[in-house]
Amino acid sequence: MNCLSPSILSADFSRLGEQIRELDEAGAQYVHIDVMDGMFVPSISFGLPVIRSIRPCTDRIFDVHLMIEEPGRYIEDFVGAGADLITVHAESCKHLDRTIASIKERGILAGVALNPATPLQTVEYVLEKVDMVLIMTVNPGFGGQKFIPYTLQKVRDLKKMIDARGLKTDIEVDGGLLLVGQLVVALAGKGKVNVLRPELVVIHLGNAVFKALEREVVGTQNHILRRHRDRAAVLRTQQVVGREHQDT
């Protein structure tokens, strides 16, 4: 099953809440939130106040991608702001295992991201602990980059690693994809690439998604988006139950 997780990085921030509600109405079950600190990656995006302010706009899963140095310092803050899934870069964590544990202890989903040249062996020993692995198919930090071809093999190899261990870990691909996005799904195996962000399937990355909301193009995405609403509802329910269990 393939899911779409639109990134708000290319949204019109003067009407961000409205555009998120439009994504919600279109059926998107994830909202991808790229947080950049200007250190781990060259760009600076936004942080906790923005996430906190848009949380009331939707009950969709907030898929928070932390492109920041030592993200373990801020896990509790991002959970408090409304994150449902936090993905950290293996390259930015001095103690990756500890950071993953910190995320899971707070009752939400944990993901690990790998830059294009980072080997899969980096996550080999924590694979059982994470809910998702994000494969960067461009170098992080900027939009409009070209897809890096060798990352396609990396997705295949990750799928083999997951299958060999009998895991149900999601795979997310991020960056530079046009129609190649569907090829990634086909090559990685049906049912294993579970999060495909729409900006990776249409041109100009996130820009195309939010422009599409203002045109009829979004109609071509809706039948894919709506198929996966149930999965999002199940995940949200599991997270709420998990939090209630922790509270008791």
Side-chain angles (χ1 to χ4, degrees):
M1 181 173 66
N2 309 314
C3 299
L4 301 175
S5 181
S7 173
I8 66 169
L9 191 61
S10 297
D12 178 354
F13 273 68
S14 68
R15 49 190 295 266
L16 183 56
E18 179 184 347
Q19 290 203 325
I20 289 173
R21 282 187 287 269
E22 288 172 351
L23 288 175
D24 198 337
E25 291 171 1
Q29 58 280 93
Y30 292 78
V31 176
H32 194 90
I33 301 171
D34 289 303
V35 178
M36 307 180 193
D37 65 356
M39 296 180 66
F40 179 66
V41 294
S43 301
I44 297 175
S45 58
F46 44 79
L48 293 161
V50 171
I51 298 172
R52 193 176 293 111
S53 69
I54 61 175
R55 181 69 275 187
C57 297
T58 178
D59 63 355
R60 301 310 186 197
I61 294 171
F62 271 19
D63 173 13
V64 179
H65 179 191
L66 297 183
M67 289 176 272
I68 65 177
E69 290 288 352
E70 286 301 325
R73 298 172 294 167
Y74 303 108
I75 299 304
E76 186 171 358
D77 294 324
F78 279 103
V79 173
D84 300 298
L85 160 64
I86 293 179
T87 299
V88 299
H89 273 260
E91 304 89 352
S92 72
C93 297
K94 289 182 180 178
H95 304 288
L96 180 59
D97 184 87
R98 181 183 298 166
T99 302
I100 293 168
S102 178
I103 297 170
K104 300 290 283 185
E105 285 167 3
R106 287 163 174 80
I108 69 168
L109 303 176
V112 175
L114 297 177
N115 286 342
T118 302
L120 287 176
Q121 286 72 20
T122 305
V123 297
E124 182 177 2
Y125 294 108
V126 297
L127 193 57
E128 285 83 358
K129 296 186 176 185
V130 299
D131 302 286
M132 185 183 73
V133 177
L134 187 158
I135 300 296
M136 294 298 302
T137 51
V138 298
N139 290 300
F142 295 103
Q145 300 181 66
K146 291 184 178 180
F147 170 76
I148 298 174
Y150 68 73
T151 58
L152 195 59
Q153 183 60 46
K154 194 173 181 179
V155 173
R156 294 191 193 102
D157 293 342
L158 175 58
K159 190 245 180 206
K160 291 177 183 177
M161 184 184 293
I162 291 169
D163 285 351
R165 300 183 183 200
L167 302 174
K168 297 182 179 180
T169 312
D170 287 349
I171 300 173
E172 183 169 6
V173 292
D174 185 344
L177 298 178
L178 184 51
L179 297 178
V180 178
Q182 296 305 317
L183 181 60
V184 171
V185 176
L187 291 174
K190 185 176 179 181
K192 288 298 178 183
V193 178
N194 290 331
V195 184
L196 254 181
R197 293 163 55 191
E199 69 269 34
L200 311 182
V201 181
V202 295
I203 199 167
H204 299 313
L205 304 180
N207 290 329
V209 175
F210 287 95
K211 288 179 181 178
L213 286 172
E214 300 172 1
R215 302 193 303 266
E216 293 182 355
V217 178
V218 74
T220 64
Q221 308 270 351
N222 287 352
H223 71 286
I224 301 173
L225 291 163
R226 290 193 177 106
R227 285 169 50 199
H228 309 295
R229 279 182 166 172
D230 289 345
R231 183 172 187 268
V234 169
L235 282 172
R236 290 288 295 177
T237 300
Q238 290 173 343
Q239 291 158 19
V240 170
V241 171
R243 289 168 184 167
E244 290 176 348
H245 179 71
Q246 283 189 335
D247 291 341
T248 58

